[in-house]
Amino acid sequence: GDPPPMADSLKFTEDHLWIRVDGKRAQIGLSDYGQNELGEVIALEMPDVGDEMERGEPFGEVESVRTVSELISPLSGSVTAINTDLEDHPRIVNEDPLHEGWLLEIEVADETELEELMDLDEYEEFASGEREG
């Protein structure tokens, strides 16, 4: 059989971030719905490698042609990698939000926080509810 599509392993937040967990590491990015809401991304403000992130606290900003939006951390942990490609090419977030357009990677401090995140089905339901409202 084919491997399951990557989206199955993604978790989501109500702030339209996705989280792909691999052991203690978690990659974080903007959902397709999130980048769509923002419009064309022109700049990103991000923490540095080694910075600590607190769940529920802003860790950066994404600036688009429409708005500036705070990025709210889905998990607590320390930043292990930043997608430096986005400094020169922030539009990758629009073009490939779930893969090439990832924002950063952290080492997860508290794995129980993962249980608070939505899976794909829950998120799609949440996002479509937002659309109707």
Side-chain angles (χ1 to χ4, degrees):
D2 295 323
M6 284 307 283
D8 285 358
S9 59
L10 296 181
K11 301 280 188 191
F12 294 87
T13 72
E14 295 189 356
D15 305 296
H16 307 297
L17 294 177
W18 57 258
I19 302 91
R20 182 180 289 129
V21 182
D22 179 13
K24 291 286 273 181
R25 288 171 114 77
Q27 206 176 47
I28 299 168
L30 264 178
S31 74
D32 193 39
Y33 180 83
Q35 66 82 20
N36 203 31
E37 288 288 279
L38 286 167
E40 187 183 324
V41 175
I42 47 182
L44 290 132
E45 192 65 39
M46 298 233 268
D48 294 315
V49 170
D51 285 3
E52 294 294 322
M53 286 180 20
E54 289 272 329
R55 181 175 162 223
E57 296 290 315
F59 66 86
E61 285 181 345
V62 54
E63 187 180 342
S64 73
V65 288
R66 286 184 211 154
T67 182
V68 174
S69 184
E70 278 195 329
L71 297 165
I72 305 296
S73 183
L75 298 167
S76 304
S78 57
V79 179
T80 53
I82 302 281
N83 187 350
T84 51
D85 292 346
L86 302 181
E87 287 166 23
D88 298 325
H89 309 286
R91 281 201 53 160
I92 304 171
V93 172
N94 298 116
E95 289 156 12
D96 191 4
L98 299 182
H99 296 283
E100 295 294 310
W102 64 280
L103 302 178
L104 48 76
E105 193 173 272
I106 67 168
E107 184 161 322
V108 180
D110 180 359
E111 290 178 31
T112 61
E113 290 180 352
L114 297 168
E115 293 158 22
E116 306 290 314
L117 302 171
M118 292 184 275
D119 65 23
L120 184 61
D121 290 344
E122 291 169 320
Y123 175 70
E124 285 186 335
E125 199 168 302
F126 168 78
S128 65
E130 283 222 324
R131 232 175 252 140
E132 287 155 22

